[in-house]
Amino acid sequence: MSENNLTSYPNVLEIMKKYDVVIGIEVHCQLATKSKMFSHAKNAYGDSPNSNIDPTCLGLPGALPTINEECVNLAIRMGLALKSEIQPVSVFARKNYFYPDLPKGYQITQYDKPICLGGELILPNGKKINIERVQIEEDAGKNIHVGATSLVDYNRSGVGLIEIVSAPDMTSPEEASDYLRKLHSYVVNLDISDGDLERGNFRADANVSIMPKDSKVFGQRCEIKNVNSFKYLEKAIAYEIERQYEVIEAGGKIHMETRGYDSEKNITVGQRSKESAKDYRYFPEPDLPPLIVSLERIEKVKKLMPELPESKAARFTEKYSLPEYDAKVITASRINSSYFESLVTSLLGKVEPKNISNYFMTDVMRASKLFAEAKGISLDELLEVPVSLENSISLLSLQASGTISGRIAKEIFEEMISTGKSPVEIVKEKNLVQISDDTSIAKICEQVILDNPEQLSQYLSGKEKLFGFFVGQTMKISGGKLNPAKVNEMLKKLLDSKK
Amino acid sequence: MSYKNQFSSVYVNELKEHTAMSLVKTFCSGERKPSQYLEQLFEHIERINPELNAITSLQKEYALLRAKELEAKKPEAHQMLYGVPIVIKENIQKVDFPVECASKMLKGYRGQFNATVIESLENAGAIIIGSANMDEFAMGSANEHSSHGVVRNPHDPKRVSGGSSGGSSVACAAGFAPITLGSDTGGSVREPAAFCGIYGFKPTYGRVSRYGLVAFGSSLDQISPFARSVEDLDLVLKVIAHEDPLDSTSLRGCYESQIEKYTLKGKKIGVIRSLLKAGLDDNVLQEFQSLEENLKKYGVEFVDIEIPSLEHTLSVYYVIACAEASSNLSRYDGIRFGHRAEGTEDLNDLYSKSRSEGFGAEVKRRIMLGTFALSAGYYDAFYGRALAVRDMMAKEFASVFEKLDFIYMPTAPTSAFKFGENSHDPLKEYLYDVFTIPANLTGIPAISVPTKVGMGCLPVGVQFMAAKGRDAELIAFASALEKTKLIGTTALV
């Protein structure tokens, strides 16, 4: 968050002096299971249209849904991570509406009895956001429009989703995007979802309203639908706050409606009014008995639960003696923490974890940032670290064994990420092997001392600070290839002998 | 009764020869081949069916091929229905068979997968020979609402077969197959069984898998068999009544026959006298009372009981069944399969016209009723209350069964009526289900058995119900009852 600690959007900051902003977020998150939620068809992205289908997810007459227990386990896992109460009995319901991508004419979801109730998520600034519910449901297919023709692909139809509904506890665009980032890091770290935003596997709807500071009644809210980037969510909310403010200040009224976000124009656009919204005629799904979750099952899920970022950070500080700051930064992202841990394990006994952390947090994370920028996505949306693990291991090993110096390592890193060549190749090609033998080092040091008689006499007359100058010159002449420790040692010896 | 003569002279000399039990025996002993039997059977069907209109698709070629396949191997022990021809209601999925549900909406639609019951029957060596007429989407009590036209009662072709499984009922009663399958959502198997003089059994909800049964009211639907003898019912239940992982509402375990060891003596049966007061035809009341009197002689004890919530039977049923139907029938939208209207303007127009053209009047009526009952603001008053009364009814039944073995009731208030007598008044037609619906609402098993009516009289069915899960006891009781000859099929007699 910015220096004013409220928001970095100046207009919103102005509005916040007069109005309270109220934001609640619903996230739909696709479950990373092998098969779909209510059918045995495969759950896979990118296969040819209508290849992962069966009678159930096509809604053929006579087909019936069955529950994918793995999806239920993932929902329980989400609930546990959010400190929700896992309900011993929850009920599936039908949400009825007509649309070509919805083959049964209803979506199986949960309504008045979801699997998880309550819970919380703590934002990086320490604020607690309450969770209202987590529910299980199924995804719809996809309509594809080709000219005047519309086609439907049912590969996604029936894939498991969880919907996570927050309380209207967020009060600024930044809090909303922080919430979304945190939740995303949870689902990815916990193997609940691949969290792929681009494919819509993690999509957010934000309910936004504003109310005068002294008011006790919430303002009318608008729902911004299906925003699939953290930054866009923030911007869409900021825009929506300004829009609502202008309407209200001009004496107008906010109507409850669904709005879409146009990222190119950075505006939200009204889609349909909620007053005329469909009546979904929810009722309990008669094809599925109530979902019973035993305490034993919850315990089992708990035992198999992957580490949350918080506990991982604690483990990193303890086990690898990392500073808390390093541990927090590295564990914020699943791909970073696992990359880091692979490095630590591969270089066990050779390189100190703190040194690996230094390398990771400066070189690798900078490379990630540049890579993301080049792709036009945010850092959280990266699916893998853009530096190969083998190259990093090789580079750190070369440095640890003294084959190359730290300075050369930096040079090789740049070369490595721009060309993709391995450090060993680069070292060979450019003849960058560190010189550590005393004779060669002594020769160069002698030369440097000889070439700088002025500095030598000053040094000898007591200006010991000039020692650094000699080191610098030596390294410069050698192109950084000399072993710095040895250079230090040698210069000291040679200079002292002249005293 | 000209029909009686037609049947007996040509095809059926001795009815007993045509039960599934006896067919399996003669096929397994090699006395007769299933294919030979089928040739003879098809002749019979093709002669009789055009007037009765029970079978809508006779799959001769397929059935004969399947018979030859069976004959190529020796019968195996688990093939309890080896070579037995079976007819299924047109709402049960079998690959390549028409599954039209007697609706214009599904005209030309063929099965895309096999229902679990079909898999079970075929594993047991049965031959599915064709599919049967029905009320559109199983909505009706007389089989008068069908895109294939009405089904006629073999006992009197001027009269209805009963519904909605009229085609399956008549197919069994007219000797087209010893066992046929229907579906019973509010009495759709028991009522036509009563009208046609055969046995119809609705198992406990969940005892037979619904996977592959086109849904009408999911929480009420149950695939249910017809037969001309209780032994045959017992036999087919051994095959189809088991757990199914594809149906989440299916019950654990399976049907375990108790037919061998059963006595009538000492059985306690409840009768709800208040239900017998109004609307019953004399012949039904007479048959009902005479069976009761006769059973007392066998040591059966009758007890008067009351189940107060039964007064709400019809309203609760029509709210729940229609609500579920309104949702279940949403998938018929003209997008992926079924009827699609021509020349539509946009998506909504396509939905609206396809559904308006595809569905018949009774189906539309129930979709509208159900849609209304589930609408925001009405849910609590209709659907919510109906569920509450349903729960209450289930509790009342359960508590009555703590002290009783069975409950005794008529199956329908009259015998088969004439065409058109009730069809223009939906409420009058709905009344025909008042005795059969409670078993669906509470999920309990119930059987309609044919009483021994006099020569030239229309068949009358009476109904016995048991507590949830006590299917085998109910069948065993009916079997013992059949042995007393107080009841027995009037098919082809």
Side-chain angles (χ1 to χ4, degrees):
Chain A
M1 207 160 290
S2 71
E3 59 285 352
N4 63 50
N5 219 24
L6 283 172
T7 178
S8 58
Y9 294 85
N11 294 344
V12 174
L13 188 62
E14 275 311 299
I15 295 167
M16 283 165 75
K17 286 176 184 160
K18 286 169 73 182
Y19 287 86
D20 283 331
V21 171
V22 180
I23 305 163
I25 292 181
E26 289 168 20
V27 167
H28 287 91
C29 171
Q30 205 179 85
L31 299 172
T33 48
K34 289 194 189 83
S35 61
K36 297 183 178 182
M37 176 66 224
F38 297 113
S39 86
H40 300 275
K42 202 169 102 182
N43 171 23
Y45 182 86
D47 288 356
S48 65
N50 295 315
S51 56
N52 300 330
I53 49 173
D54 74 353
T56 300
C57 61
L58 275 186
L60 294 186
L64 291 173
T66 48
I67 293 174
N68 180 343
E69 297 297 341
E70 197 41 42
C71 290
V72 176
N73 288 341
L74 292 182
I76 296 173
R77 189 182 278 183
M78 184 81 256
L80 288 172
L82 295 172
K83 299 191 177 71
S84 296
E85 273 178 48
I86 314 297
Q87 302 301 300
V89 181
S90 64
V91 173
F92 289 103
R94 290 188 186 176
K95 178 182 182 180
N96 295 283
Y97 64 95
F98 287 100
Y99 206 61
D101 66 9
L102 191 73
K104 299 188 296 300
Y106 56 83
Q107 178 200 30
I108 305 177
T109 175
Q110 295 193 306
Y111 183 54
D112 52 353
K113 291 187 178 101
I115 183 162
C116 307
L117 279 174
E120 59 182 53
L121 190 70
I122 311 291
L123 298 187
N125 68 2
K127 180 169 170 176
K128 183 174 99 181
I129 304 298
N130 289 295
I131 302 294
E132 282 184 352
R133 56 194 277 148
V134 177
Q135 69 186 36
I136 303 172
E137 53 191 41
E138 59 176 337
D139 215 337
K142 229 178 218 166
N143 288 354
I144 300 152
H145 305 287
V146 187
T149 315
S150 291
L151 304 166
V152 198
D153 176 7
Y154 292 104
N155 279 353
R156 203 179 65 180
S157 165
V159 169
L161 293 176
I162 47 173
E163 182 179 348
I164 304 133
V165 183
S166 84
D169 285 354
M170 285 150 276
T171 54
S172 72
E174 282 90 343
E175 271 188 14
S177 63
D178 280 350
Y179 169 82
L180 204 61
R181 280 197 177 88
K182 183 80 185 255
L183 193 61
H184 185 259
S185 91
Y186 269 35
V187 303
V188 174
N189 275 285
L190 294 174
D191 286 331
I192 290 169
S193 171
D194 66 6
D196 192 329
L197 293 137
E198 249 175 291
R199 289 177 183 173
N201 294 354
F202 186 89
R203 43 192 199 261
D205 304 336
N207 281 295
V208 181
S209 68
I210 61 172
M211 59 178 177
K213 278 243 173 259
D214 48 6
S215 171
K216 288 200 168 59
V217 193
F218 283 158
Q220 186 59 273
R221 66 192 157 89
C222 290
E223 186 182 32
I224 309 168
K225 270 271 183 210
N226 281 335
V227 187
N228 63 352
S229 128
F230 304 118
K231 201 69 203 167
Y232 287 161
L233 180 85
E234 204 181 287
K235 286 183 168 174
I237 291 172
Y239 172 85
E240 182 59 20
I241 293 168
E242 284 184 52
R243 187 191 69 85
Q244 292 187 10
Y245 170 77
E246 274 157 29
V247 171
I248 292 168
E249 287 288 302
K253 262 181 93 178
I254 299 297
H255 299 284
M256 195 176 184
E257 64 178 348
T258 300
R259 300 182 69 84
Y261 177 65
D262 181 335
S263 58
E264 272 174 35
K265 295 185 189 148
N266 186 30
I267 54 168
T268 65
V269 187
Q271 288 177 329
R272 64 182 151 85
S273 113
K274 279 246 169 176
E275 276 100 4
S276 66
K278 299 159 197 159
D279 175 358
Y280 291 117
R281 292 176 284 117
Y282 286 98
F283 74 104
E285 164 59 285
D287 286 332
L288 293 170
L291 179 62
I292 311 288
V293 176
S294 66
L295 287 174
E296 292 76 41
R297 182 172 186 177
I298 297 173
E299 281 310 310
K300 222 169 145 188
V301 173
K302 220 181 249 173
K303 272 194 194 128
L304 295 172
M305 189 134 143
E307 221 173 1
L308 271 175
E310 286 95 325
S311 39
K312 196 177 278 178
R315 187 166 61 82
F316 279 17
T317 18
E318 164 125 3
K319 195 169 163 193
Y320 304 133
S321 316
L322 288 192
E324 261 177 46
Y325 176 77
D326 291 27
K328 208 173 156 188
V329 170
I330 293 172
T331 55
S333 136
R334 173 78 179 277
I335 56 164
N336 285 351
S337 62
S338 72
Y339 189 93
F340 173 77
E341 237 182 346
S342 304
L343 284 184
V344 171
T345 345
S346 310
L347 297 165
L348 203 69
K350 286 197 249 168
V351 186
E352 282 302 307
K354 173 61 190 155
N355 292 339
I356 296 175
S357 162
N358 290 347
Y359 162 75
F360 186 83
M361 288 178 54
T362 50
D363 298 330
V364 178
M365 285 181 72
R366 186 172 43 85
S368 296
K369 203 176 155 216
L370 291 174
F371 183 80
E373 273 168 15
K375 272 193 86 178
I377 55 175
S378 82
L379 208 48
D380 323 74
E381 292 165 56
L382 278 183
L383 293 177
E384 55 177 8
V385 173
V387 184
S388 93
L389 196 60
E390 297 75 55
N391 284 354
S392 281
I393 293 170
S394 147
L395 185 64
L396 289 166
S397 306
L398 285 171
Q399 203 184 333
S401 66
T403 311
I404 56 169
S405 67
R407 213 188 107 192
I408 294 293
K410 292 236 178 230
E411 223 171 89
I412 294 175
F413 183 82
E414 297 306 323
E415 178 86 11
M416 183 175 94
I417 57 167
S418 65
T419 65
K421 283 181 191 161
S422 79
V424 177
E425 267 179 280
I426 299 168
V427 166
K428 264 195 205 151
E429 253 176 41
K430 302 201 154 183
N431 190 22
L432 294 172
V433 176
Q434 176 165 274
I435 299 163
S436 295
D437 70 295
D438 290 348
T439 350
S440 318
I441 292 174
K443 235 169 119 185
I444 298 170
C445 288
E446 290 275 17
Q447 192 59 46
V448 170
I449 293 168
L450 274 178
D451 288 351
N452 297 284
E454 187 123 332
Q455 282 79 359
L456 176 66
S457 66
Q458 282 180 22
Y459 176 81
L460 291 177
S461 62
K463 227 176 164 190
E464 303 237 326
K465 262 201 234 154
L466 279 170
F467 182 72
F469 165 80
F470 289 104
V471 174
Q473 286 299 305
T474 312
M475 294 309 279
K476 196 174 158 194
I477 284 171
S478 70
K481 287 197 288 182
L482 297 187
N483 182 326
K486 293 221 163 163
V487 168
N488 269 323
E489 204 181 303
M490 185 60 70
L491 278 172
K492 193 102 194 136
K493 208 172 95 186
L494 291 173
L495 287 169
D496 285 353
S497 70
K498 312 254 178 220
K499 272 186 184 166
Chain B
M1 294 279 99
S2 57
Y3 264 75
K4 180 179 65 182
N5 299 330
Q6 272 192 47
F7 282 125
S8 48
S9 59
V10 184
Y11 169 64
V12 184
N13 294 317
E14 181 58 67
L15 187 66
K16 277 190 191 125
E17 283 176 15
H18 301 276
T19 65
M21 289 293 269
S22 60
L23 286 177
V24 172
K25 240 178 245 163
T26 54
F27 293 154
C28 287
S29 69
E31 203 179 305
R32 227 168 164 186
K33 280 183 173 175
S35 58
Q36 292 168 339
Y37 182 77
L38 284 184
E39 299 274 10
Q40 192 191 359
L41 181 66
F42 290 155
E43 233 181 84
H44 168 67
I45 294 172
E46 284 178 327
R47 199 164 49 80
I48 311 287
N49 189 56
E51 182 168 9
L52 300 182
N53 197 24
I55 291 186
T56 51
S57 155
L58 183 63
Q59 303 278 329
K60 278 165 63 179
E61 221 172 291
Y62 163 81
L64 285 168
L65 210 72
R66 164 103 178 115
K68 297 275 184 204
E69 244 176 60
L70 283 170
E71 288 161 16
K73 286 183 207 156
K74 272 192 180 155
E76 288 171 50
H78 72 273
Q79 291 182 310
M80 289 187 279
L81 291 171
Y82 181 83
V84 174
I86 286 180
V87 170
I88 55 172
K89 193 175 180 176
E90 229 190 37
N91 61 351
I92 298 172
Q93 289 269 354
K94 163 146 175 63
V95 172
D96 288 341
F97 271 44
V99 187
E100 295 188 6
C101 296
S103 179
K104 186 183 168 191
M105 182 56 93
L106 283 177
K107 190 166 173 50
Y109 186 81
R110 302 241 154 189
Q112 304 295 305
F113 61 96
N114 280 342
T116 299
V117 288
I118 300 296
E119 294 284 329
S120 304
L121 287 172
E122 293 186 339
N123 276 336
I127 304 172
I128 318 291
I129 61 165
S131 37
N133 205 341
M134 58 187 281
D135 276 304
E136 185 179 1
F137 284 106
M139 297 175 185
S141 306
N143 219 132
E144 291 180 286
H145 312 292
S146 163
S147 64
H148 303 294
V150 300
V151 178
R152 296 180 182 277
N153 194 313
H155 295 271
D156 177 358
K158 290 189 297 294
R159 291 179 186 270
V160 303
S161 58
S164 66
S165 311
S168 303
S169 180
V170 169
C172 181
F176 298 169
I179 294 167
T180 63
L181 292 188
S183 63
D184 191 316
T185 305
S188 281
V189 160
R190 287 161 288 155
E191 188 238 27
F195 282 10
C196 295
I198 55 174
Y199 295 91
F201 175 65
K202 185 203 87 75
T204 296
Y205 180 78
R207 185 64 289 159
V208 176
S209 168
R210 289 183 298 119
Y211 189 75
L213 170 69
V214 177
F216 158 20
S218 310
S219 71
L220 305 154
D221 295 341
Q222 189 62 189
I223 290 180
S224 306
F226 292 95
R228 297 184 300 256
S229 76
V230 180
E231 269 191 325
D232 277 3
L233 280 184
D234 182 65
L235 179 63
V236 70
L237 287 168
K238 284 183 202 162
V239 172
I240 63 169
H242 54 76
E243 189 177 350
D244 179 15
L246 294 178
D247 174 2
S248 305
T249 60
S250 113
L251 295 175
R252 290 278 169 88
C254 60
Y255 173 84
E256 285 175 72
S257 174
Q258 299 181 11
I259 213 164
E260 302 291 342
K261 33 165 185 149
Y262 205 86
T263 50
L264 296 174
K265 203 170 175 209
K267 295 298 162 206
K268 243 182 172 173
I269 295 180
V271 180
I272 306 163
R273 297 284 163 206
S274 56
L275 284 184
L276 306 174
K277 279 179 187 146
L280 277 194
D281 272 8
D282 285 348
N283 68 327
V284 173
L285 190 61
Q286 248 169 41
E287 289 296 325
F288 182 86
Q289 286 169 339
S290 105
L291 181 64
E292 184 182 344
E293 287 314 309
N294 283 320
L295 273 176
K296 283 180 187 163
K297 294 177 200 152
Y298 284 86
V300 174
E301 191 189 333
F302 285 85
V303 192
D304 288 1
I305 55 164
E306 285 304 326
I307 295 182
S309 60
L310 283 182
E311 81 176 274
H312 305 295
T313 298
L314 285 177
S315 33
V316 169
Y317 173 78
Y318 277 93
V319 168
I320 292 174
C322 294
E324 291 179 3
S326 74
S327 173
N328 284 331
L329 270 61
S330 295
R331 65 189 64 194
Y332 310 108
D333 55 5
I335 301 286
R336 295 162 307 282
F337 52 79
H339 179 73
R340 180 189 286 190
E342 300 283 332
T344 52
E345 281 165 21
D346 54 23
L347 189 59
N348 272 333
D349 198 36
L350 174 96
Y351 284 146
S352 155
K353 283 205 180 113
S354 300
R355 289 168 65 81
S356 300
E357 293 169 6
F359 290 134
E362 183 59 29
V363 173
K364 281 183 205 163
R365 177 164 26 243
R366 297 198 194 190
I367 290 176
M368 306 262 278
L369 262 172
T371 304
F372 174 74
L374 288 176
S375 297
Y378 297 98
Y379 181 93
D380 290 338
F382 293 102
Y383 196 75
R385 275 172 88 185
L387 287 185
V389 179
R390 182 186 191 172
D391 274 355
M392 193 164 81
M393 195 183 284
K395 280 187 192 122
E396 287 178 8
F397 268 93
S399 92
V400 162
F401 279 123
E402 280 171 18
K403 296 173 211 103
L404 291 176
D405 294 294
F406 309 109
I407 292 174
Y408 180 42
M409 247 188 233
T411 305
T414 72
S415 286
F417 47 85
K418 288 189 174 141
F419 285 104
E421 243 176 73
N422 296 308
S423 57
H424 31 259
D425 184 352
L427 280 181
K428 216 171 154 194
E429 193 182 335
Y430 294 171
L431 272 174
Y432 268 82
D433 301 331
V434 73
F435 299 122
T436 46
I437 285 170
N440 300 86
L441 284 176
T442 57
I444 61 175
I447 186 168
S448 176
V449 301
T451 63
K452 273 269 149 85
V453 290
M455 267 298 236
C457 295
L458 287 167
V460 169
V462 292
Q463 191 183 199
F464 292 92
M465 302 168 172
K468 227 177 198 169
R470 287 161 78 171
D471 303 60
E473 280 173 70
L474 185 56
I475 292 292
F477 170 76
S479 166
L481 201 56
E482 189 184 31
K483 286 188 187 115
T484 65
K485 309 229 181 223
L486 291 172
I487 59 165
T489 181
T490 47
L492 314 173
V493 176

